[in-house]
Amino acid sequence: MGVYLKIIWAYLKIGLFGFGGGYAMLALIEREVVTPGWISEQMFTDIVAISQMTPGPIGINSATYIGYAVTGNVFGSILATVTVMLPSFLLVLYASHFIRRHKESAIIKGAFAGLRPVVIGLIASAALLLMNRQNFPDNTFSILIAVISFLVVYFTKLHPIVLICLAGLAGFFIYY
């Protein structure tokens, strides 16, 4: 029962303080599951990659996978997933009612103006977190794939699924 309570506590914190979406949550998720030794850094990197490629939010997808990996059963997976969503669901439910009533308030407008740069910083932190030896085993080709992917996304309208497939093929031919 102890591991389930630890999952509930960790994912309540992640769900409650994970502002800015899944990518902004990655540093917090890593601190809660890798630092205590639930999973390895390599496994975390793999989970992030899988969570990016599967449909749905990265924070929820990673919670589902990590819950299963830590407990070894579907109940742990469901528990982590529901727990990470619960704070957001309750906060959005209350906030939507509150914001609808006070949407013209200078305080509300100011709060949102202050949150925007924090979210950008959290996303940048996630990008830096993912720049590790597991994601860039051979700096030359890995960095080249990352830079080309960034440029393609930034300057074209190529669908992300096509880019993921092309990067996977490039990785296969380069590293196999």
Side-chain angles (χ1 to χ4, degrees):
M1 187 63 170
V3 71
Y4 296 109
L5 291 176
K6 288 178 183 178
I7 287 174
I8 289 170
W9 178 241
Y11 278 101
L12 275 175
K13 288 189 286 186
I14 292 166
L16 191 59
F17 298 108
F19 290 101
Y23 293 106
M25 290 176 145
L26 287 180
L28 183 56
I29 294 170
E30 188 215 16
R31 183 172 306 223
E32 292 296 323
V33 300
V34 175
T35 303
W38 292 1
I39 61 172
S40 67
E41 189 173 323
Q42 174 66 47
M43 187 177 210
F44 179 72
T45 300
D46 293 343
I47 290 169
V48 170
I50 291 168
S51 296
Q52 289 173 334
M53 294 186 316
T54 53
I58 190 171
I60 294 171
N61 290 346
S62 64
T64 304
Y65 191 85
I66 291 168
Y68 185 83
V70 171
T71 64
N73 60 53
V74 175
F75 179 70
S77 181
I78 293 169
L79 186 65
T81 304
V82 169
T83 306
V84 79
M85 290 187 311
L86 186 63
S88 298
F89 174 76
L90 295 175
L91 284 172
V92 168
L93 189 65
Y94 174 74
S96 64
H97 174 71
F98 181 81
I99 290 171
R100 189 174 334 126
R101 292 181 61 199
H102 304 286
K103 64 183 173 186
E104 297 303 320
S105 166
I107 294 171
I108 297 294
K109 288 180 181 180
F112 279 115
L115 285 173
R116 285 186 203 112
V118 171
V119 171
I120 298 294
L122 289 170
I123 292 170
S125 169
L128 292 174
L129 174 73
L130 293 174
M131 290 183 187
N132 55 37
R133 291 195 189 278
Q134 286 76 26
N135 285 331
F136 294 94
D138 173 9
N139 288 340
T140 306
F141 290 118
S142 297
I143 291 172
L144 185 64
I145 290 171
V147 168
I148 290 171
S149 297
F150 172 78
L151 293 173
V152 167
V153 167
Y154 191 77
F155 290 110
T156 71
K157 296 200 186 290
L158 184 67
H159 197 282
I161 292 174
V162 174
L163 184 62
I164 289 170
C165 292
L166 291 173
L169 282 173
F172 174 78
F173 287 117
I174 291 169
Y175 296 110
Y176 182 66

